[in-house]
Amino acid sequence: MAVVTMKNLLESGVHFGHQVKRWDPRMKKYIFSERNGIHIIDLQKTIAAIKESYDVVRKTTMAGKSVLFVGTKKQAQQAIQKEAERCGQFYVNNRWLGGMLTNFSTIKKSLQRLKKIEKMEVDGTFENLTKKEVSALQKEKAKLEKNLGGIKEMKELPGVVFIIDTHKEQIAVAEARRMNIPIIAVVDTNCNPEGIDYPIPGNDDAIRAISLFTSVIANAVIESDNEESLKVLENLNDEEDGVQTDAVVKDDDIEIEDYSNYQPTEPKEEDIEADQKEHEQLFDEDKMYRD
C-alpha cells in the first residue's frame, strides 16, 4: 500500500507555495513552476521525500526511540496534538521553550514539578491548604500543562524531531542540530531547507496539508509498533513449537494399521515368571477355600 498518493496531495493543497516575491532561492530545486504570482511545488519530489521520512520514522521507533512532533502555529496545533496522541508519541504545540533539547535536565525538573502538583491534587493535599495556596498551585499547573503537557512522560531526548514550518520553529531546528537529532520538516517555498536532514517540500499553512503530513508520520510509528508486536508473537510461537513434552510414546501404544506383515512380539522371560507366580497364587487360594 502506498504511503501517500498524488491525489491525496492535490486534494490537500500541498502543491501551493508562497508568493513569488517571498521565496527562498535555496528552495529552487523543489519548485515546479509559477502561476498567478504563486510558486507551485514539485509533488514528485514531495512523494519521494515523504517515503524516505516514513522509513526513517519506522526504523527509529523500531530501535526503541521516540518521535517529537513540533508545530506551534495555530493551523498546526490541533493536528499535532491529535496525531501525536494517536500514535503515543510526544509533542510541543503551544510554545517552544528555549532549552527543551539542549537543557533537557532543567526541563525535567519542571516536568517533575508538574507531576508533583498533579499528585497533590489526587492524594488530598489540597484539602489541607488554603484557597489562596490551592489557586496558586492550580495556576502553576495550568501553565506547565500548557507548555509541557505533550512531553510530560518524555524521559530522554527523542530519536527524531518532526517539525511543521522551520521558518517559525527556528529555535527548535537549531537545538535539534546542536544535539545531533535527525530533523524531518515540512518546508514551504519561503523556508531554508539547508540543515534539515529530511526536508519534505510542501504547503505548511493549509490545515488539510498539515493534517496529511502529521498523519503519515503517525502511521509510520503505528506500523513499526505493529511489526514489533508481530515479531514478539512469532518468537512466542517458535518457542512453543520447540517445547518437548516428557511423555514418551511406547511401542506397545502405537496403533497398527497394516496387519499384513504383523508379527506378535515374543513374551519376555520376566513376564512369563510373573504370570506363573500369579497362577500359583490363585491356585493356592482356590485350594484354601475348598478345604
Side-chain angles (χ1 to χ4, degrees), residues 236-249:
L236 285 172
N237 290 333
D238 291 342
E239 287 174 10
E240 286 176 4
D241 293 340
V243 172
Q244 293 182 350
T245 58
D246 295 332
V248 179
V249 180

Side-chain angles (χ1 to χ4, degrees), residues 96-105 157 171 174-176 178-179:
W96 182 270
L97 302 177
M100 268 190 172
L101 297 177
T102 53
N103 195 16
F104 188 62
S105 56
L157 292 175
I171 300 172
E175 287 191 26
R178 188 171 180 181
M179 300 304 292

Side-chain angles (χ1 to χ4, degrees), residues 36 66 96 108 140 155 166-167 193 195 206 218 243 257-258 262:
N36 301 325
S66 59
W96 182 270
K108 269 186 177 178
E140 185 183 355
K155 294 178 174 58
T166 56
H167 192 67
V243 172
E257 294 179 358
D258 185 11
Y262 172 66

Side-chain angles (χ1 to χ4, degrees), residues 4-15 43 47 208 212:
V4 68
T5 62
M6 185 69 76
K7 185 182 178 183
N8 296 142
L9 297 176
L10 289 167
E11 286 175 350
S12 301
V14 173
H15 55 296
L43 293 184
I47 287 177
R208 289 182 70 182
L212 179 66

Side-chain angles (χ1 to χ4, degrees), residues 249-256 265 268:
V249 180
K250 294 182 179 179
D251 293 338
D252 299 343
D253 298 335
I254 299 171
E255 186 179 352
I256 299 167
T265 54
K268 296 179 181 177

Side-chain angles (χ1 to χ4, degrees), residues 172-185:
V173 171
E175 287 191 26
R177 287 183 65 186
R178 188 171 180 181
M179 300 304 292
N180 296 319
I181 299 172
I183 303 169
I184 298 172

